[in-house]
Amino acid sequence: MATIHDVAERAGVSVTTVSRVLNNRGYISESTRSKVYQCMEELGYQPNEIARSLLKKQSNIIGLIVPNVSHPFFGELASFVEYYAYEHGFKMLLCNSHLDPVKEKEYIEMMRRNRVDGIIMGSHTLEVEDYRNLHHPIVTFDRQIDSEIPYMSSDNYRGGELATELLVKKDCKKIAHICGNLELDLLANQRTQAFQDVVSRHEVEHLIVQTDMNVFDQQQYERIIAELFREHPDIDGVFATSDIIAAYVVQHCYKLGKRVPHDIRIVGYDDVSAASWVVPSITTIQQPIEEMSKQAIELIRGQLAEETIRMANILPVTLIERGTT
Amino acid sequence: MATIHDVAERAGVSVTTVSRVLNNRGYISESTRSKVYQCMEELGYQPNEIARSLLKKQSNIIGLIVPNVSHPFFGELASFVEYYAYEHGFKMLLCNSHLDPVKEKEYIEMMRRNRVDGIIMGSHTLEVEDYRNLHHPIVTFDRQIDSEIPYMSSDNYRGGELATELLVKKDCKKIAHICGNLELDLLANQRTQAFQDVVSRHEVEHLIVQTDMNVFDQQQYERIIAELFREHPDIDGVFATSDIIAAYVVQHCYKLGKRVPHDIRIVGYDDVSAASWVVPSITTIQQPIEEMSKQAIELIRGQLAEETIRMANILPVTLIERGTT
DNA sequence: TTTGACATGTCAATCGTTTGACATATACAT
DNA sequence: ATGTATATGTCAAACGATTGACATGTCAAA
């Protein structure tokens, strides 16, 4: 591939001049400028960003680690993160940890080796210590590490409250809550806390089921849900911690001949686009995914500019009532 | 961040020795080796991949350009591409073109500036010429450019045939086909060709509706579908070119009080995971997304190794019968 | 005593670009 | 004639690593 030297030679000017054209510095006559551009065109020249990165000590890359982009929530997240990253001249390196601690650690090290400008962590299987020793601009999604690391989240407690209160208000007598793995130290666990608080306050019969560490494992969802209904056929309300799980519950109810929302009411979480196009459409707690993504990028930019940034970044959630309640 | 010099100094050895440890070259005693490793640990040293890339003239990055990762099909694709890329020591740079030719071109140039080892194109708004002048390892998804550029695809014609034949066999009298924008030169258009061939052969009443250039624009889907059923309330079969569109059709039928599959039968395409968890589950044509992703990486690797590779890579599709037929 | 394997060091070039310091030259205004 | 803005050139260092050539040891086997 052509280098700046080739361009200089072809244009009959010095490398410095080409560099000046490229970076708009110093005096350049219109005639040389256009001659240089023309030669670049002819050679198909593109400046080597690797060399630039080395010199400038910044790669303009932001790394995003999520459990899996094929999960709708993280797919939408990744899409917005990429969008806002690009708006600010960053590229996005994407990694799927599959919630495997080994992979997650390797990915973080890989990103440090590649000198990414910032890391956005949406997967959390590691210890607090591992994050502290990073010394790298970072933003965590949905996890609070300590007072040094900024995190981006939405109001999980309020979300759990809204969802549970809706089910209680709709007169559900026995409510199940399907949550993620509580061993992972996620802010999403506050949804479960809220659930417990609300059902206790109203003295409603309830139970809690955890999923395993595997993200988006369909068979697991089906197994857990089948078991839940086998043991508790009288459940008339479900608060699931994702729209996808909620959809599986809907499907299982359909198989059992339970009518939604007549016999059983279901609330999901996230408001991924799928929630609106399934039948019946899913009542859910909307997380402001776009705004969270945008602010995550801003938090990285703030760190790069060495500004003081807010550590706790919690956005409000909204209850979206649809067909399942 | 620590450099190889810092490590050398701390370990009391030369930079060359550290490099030898790092790259397992030449003679190194066990004692120095461990001392060097220990110093790296203490300094939190990670070798600068940017410097390495510059010297080795390869970045170990593969670029993936798709319309939008938030679309389930591309989300699953991206997930597998990343998985197999990582297995071979590559990182993945992800870009969402939103089917905007300007963005797509900018992304390609960005990737060339960053000297990615290969580009996987899943978005196609550009002209054949733009690809030819690339001089970069590349694989296209679902588009044949010329005899020089390898492409990865599945058997779209067969898929269209299977879908349409199923609807005909199930005795549909008036079948609608909702396809993507036919102005984009995609192999997916063969589905439409197959549709036309099959309905003509069986002399079944039919019609074809195109979507706009926007990927995954919910409102557009709803508008098109509503219009379709307003003008043709007697449709009793729909072959949609994606499972998501099929899901929207299901939803619309539900609103109209049409029973699926009793009054109308619907076939989707792709077999994204959503197809199996909506109610009713969607009959669809399965594309082997994982295998396609895996082979796309292999095609890039083949080009990097300067092997001769197959240009046409077409995998078989499978009809998955579910609840909508 | 010689030989050769092992262990490490020094030195310099290389990858492609940027940038500062400095030199030179033209053109035009004062 | 002098000064100043404009335009370009030369040169070298820097970014962080790799690598080949070559030197200089030590140590043990033949």
Side-chain angles (χ1 to χ4, degrees):
Chain A
M1 203 151 173
T3 72
I4 198 172
H5 289 92
D6 303 325
V7 176
E9 194 173 355
R10 174 176 263 254
V13 299
S14 72
V15 169
T16 305
T17 302
V18 178
S19 178
R20 284 202 262 252
V21 170
L22 227 35
N23 299 286
N24 274 316
R25 287 168 15 97
Y27 296 115
I28 290 289
S29 70
E30 251 335 295
S31 63
T32 31
R33 183 189 301 275
S34 59
K35 198 196 321 161
V36 167
Y37 274 128
Q38 193 196 321
C39 293
M40 288 181 178
E41 189 86 8
E42 288 163 6
L43 292 171
Y45 171 76
Q46 293 284 355
N48 187 328
E49 281 295 332
I50 296 179
R52 279 210 232 226
S53 298
L54 182 58
L55 190 65
K56 300 292 195 62
K57 289 164 166 299
Q58 55 163 312
S59 58
N60 292 311
I61 296 179
I62 284 182
L64 174 66
I65 303 181
V66 294
N68 199 331
V69 248
S70 74
H71 187 291
F73 176 75
F74 292 110
E76 294 185 18
L77 185 75
S79 175
F80 285 122
V81 166
E82 194 277 330
Y83 181 83
Y84 288 104
Y86 181 72
E87 258 200 349
H88 291 104
F90 294 107
K91 308 133 237 170
M92 183 182 80
L93 209 54
L94 180 71
C95 302
N96 301 299
S97 71
H98 296 270
L99 290 185
D100 173 351
V102 176
K103 264 202 143 188
E104 196 174 314
K105 195 151 198 172
E106 280 179 15
Y107 276 132
I108 290 177
E109 284 176 358
M110 179 273 276
M111 289 190 174
R112 296 186 68 224
R113 280 197 304 278
N114 285 278
R115 302 296 190 266
V116 299
D117 290 347
I119 301 176
I120 300 178
M121 291 291 305
S123 169
H124 300 287
T125 60
L126 301 182
E127 305 299 319
V128 170
E129 270 316 301
D130 296 312
Y131 288 86
R132 286 228 187 86
N133 302 328
L134 233 49
H135 306 299
H136 221 97
I138 188 171
V139 174
T140 62
F141 245 95
D142 208 44
R143 176 167 176 189
Q144 180 177 10
I145 305 292
D146 60 19
S147 59
E148 308 277 288
I149 295 177
Y151 62 95
M152 191 71 242
S153 183
S154 60
D155 193 342
N156 283 284
Y157 190 88
R158 183 70 188 131
E161 230 176 21
L162 284 169
T164 316
E165 275 170 358
L166 178 68
L167 291 172
V168 169
K169 203 178 70 186
K170 296 265 180 175
D171 219 27
C172 294
K173 300 298 184 202
K174 182 167 181 179
I175 307 178
H177 171 49
I178 305 175
C179 60
N181 192 298
L182 297 176
E183 277 176 37
L184 294 177
D185 176 26
L186 298 177
L187 292 168
N189 296 348
Q190 294 176 356
R191 300 173 196 172
T192 305
Q193 187 57 52
F195 171 78
Q196 283 176 315
D197 292 351
V198 174
V199 288
S200 302
R201 191 154 59 232
H202 292 89
E203 293 178 338
V204 177
E205 194 181 350
H206 63 279
L207 64 160
I208 295 176
V209 189
Q210 278 184 56
T211 58
D212 298 342
M213 288 280 257
N214 299 317
V215 228
F216 207 38
D217 174 343
Q218 306 196 34
Q219 318 214 319
Q220 183 213 152
Y221 289 167
E222 281 174 354
R223 184 172 47 73
I224 286 174
I225 293 165
E227 197 177 307
L228 175 67
F229 280 94
R230 202 180 315 118
E231 290 176 13
H232 305 275
D234 53 338
I235 287 170
D236 61 356
V238 175
F239 167 31
T241 202
S242 82
D243 294 329
I244 311 307
I245 295 177
Y248 273 99
V249 174
V250 170
Q251 187 181 49
H252 195 77
C253 289
Y254 179 76
K255 283 180 191 160
L256 293 177
K258 286 180 189 280
R259 289 162 299 172
V260 180
H262 189 273
D263 302 330
I264 180 169
R265 298 170 198 276
I266 299 164
V267 180
Y269 210 100
D270 295 340
D271 193 29
V272 296
S273 73
S276 69
W277 49 253
V278 295
V279 174
S281 54
I282 298 175
T283 293
T284 190
I285 305 297
Q286 178 180 68
Q287 294 203 69
I289 305 182
E290 176 164 4
E291 189 60 27
M292 288 164 83
S293 308
K294 185 176 177 180
Q295 291 197 18
I297 297 289
E298 288 308 321
L299 287 169
I300 294 290
R301 297 209 322 136
Q303 288 175 71
L304 290 172
E306 293 185 333
E307 293 163 5
T308 21
I309 52 173
R310 210 180 326 136
M311 291 298 133
N313 298 274
I314 300 168
L315 300 179
V317 294
T318 315
L319 170 67
I320 310 278
E321 275 208 72
R322 296 209 185 88
T324 54
T325 50
Chain B
M1 203 150 169
T3 71
I4 197 171
H5 289 92
D6 303 327
V7 176
E9 195 174 355
R10 175 175 261 254
V13 297
S14 73
V15 169
T16 306
T17 302
V18 178
S19 178
R20 284 202 262 251
V21 171
L22 227 36
N23 299 286
N24 274 316
R25 287 169 17 95
Y27 297 115
I28 290 289
S29 69
E30 251 334 296
S31 63
T32 29
R33 184 190 301 274
S34 59
K35 200 201 312 167
V36 167
Y37 274 128
Q38 191 195 321
C39 293
M40 288 181 180
E41 189 87 6
E42 288 163 6
L43 292 170
Y45 171 76
Q46 292 286 354
N48 187 329
E49 281 295 331
I50 296 179
R52 279 212 235 228
S53 297
L54 183 59
L55 189 65
K56 301 292 194 64
K57 289 165 166 299
Q58 55 164 308
S59 58
N60 292 312
I61 296 179
I62 284 182
L64 174 65
I65 303 181
V66 295
N68 200 330
V69 248
S70 73
H71 187 291
F73 176 75
F74 292 109
E76 294 184 19
L77 185 74
S79 174
F80 286 122
V81 166
E82 195 277 329
Y83 180 83
Y84 289 105
Y86 181 72
E87 259 200 348
H88 292 104
F90 295 107
K91 308 133 235 169
M92 183 182 80
L93 209 54
L94 181 70
C95 301
N96 301 300
S97 71
H98 296 269
L99 290 185
D100 174 351
V102 176
K103 263 202 143 187
E104 198 175 313
K105 194 150 199 173
E106 280 179 14
Y107 275 132
I108 289 178
E109 285 176 357
M110 179 273 275
M111 289 190 175
R112 296 187 68 225
R113 281 199 303 277
N114 285 277
R115 302 297 189 266
V116 298
D117 290 347
I119 301 177
I120 300 178
M121 292 290 307
S123 169
H124 301 287
T125 61
L126 302 182
E127 305 300 319
V128 169
E129 270 316 301
D130 296 312
Y131 289 87
R132 287 229 187 84
N133 302 328
L134 234 50
H135 306 298
H136 221 97
I138 189 172
V139 173
T140 62
F141 244 96
D142 208 45
R143 177 165 176 191
Q144 181 177 8
I145 306 291
D146 60 19
S147 59
E148 307 279 287
I149 296 177
Y151 62 96
M152 191 70 242
S153 184
S154 61
D155 193 343
N156 284 282
Y157 190 88
R158 183 69 188 135
E161 232 176 20
L162 284 169
T164 316
E165 275 170 358
L166 179 67
L167 291 172
V168 169
K169 202 178 71 187
K170 296 266 180 175
D171 219 29
C172 294
K173 300 299 184 200
K174 181 168 183 179
I175 307 178
H177 171 48
I178 305 175
C179 60
N181 192 296
L182 297 176
E183 278 175 38
L184 293 177
D185 176 25
L186 298 178
L187 292 168
N189 296 349
Q190 294 177 355
R191 300 173 197 172
T192 304
Q193 186 58 51
F195 172 78
Q196 282 175 315
D197 291 350
V198 173
V199 287
S200 301
R201 191 155 60 231
H202 293 89
E203 294 178 336
V204 177
E205 194 181 350
H206 64 279
L207 64 160
I208 295 176
V209 189
Q210 278 184 56
T211 58
D212 299 341
M213 287 281 257
N214 300 317
V215 228
F216 207 37
D217 173 345
Q218 307 196 35
Q219 318 213 319
Q220 182 213 153
Y221 289 167
E222 281 174 355
R223 184 172 46 72
I224 286 174
I225 293 165
E227 198 178 307
L228 175 68
F229 280 94
R230 201 179 317 115
E231 291 174 12
H232 306 274
D234 53 338
I235 287 170
D236 60 356
V238 175
F239 166 30
T241 202
S242 82
D243 294 329
I244 312 307
I245 296 177
Y248 272 100
V249 174
V250 170
Q251 188 181 49
H252 195 76
C253 290
Y254 179 77
K255 282 181 191 160
L256 293 177
K258 286 180 190 281
R259 289 161 299 173
V260 179
H262 188 273
D263 302 328
I264 179 170
R265 297 169 199 277
I266 299 165
V267 181
Y269 210 100
D270 294 341
D271 193 30
V272 296
S273 73
S276 68
W277 50 252
V278 295
V279 173
S281 53
I282 298 175
T283 292
T284 191
I285 305 298
Q286 180 181 67
Q287 293 203 68
I289 306 183
E290 176 164 5
E291 189 59 25
M292 288 164 83
S293 309
K294 186 176 177 181
Q295 291 197 19
I297 296 290
E298 288 307 322
L299 287 169
I300 295 290
R301 298 211 321 138
Q303 288 175 71
L304 290 173
E306 295 185 333
E307 293 164 5
T308 20
I309 53 174
R310 210 181 326 138
M311 292 297 132
N313 299 274
I314 300 168
L315 299 179
V317 295
T318 315
L319 170 67
I320 310 279
E321 275 209 71
R322 294 208 185 89
T324 54
T325 51

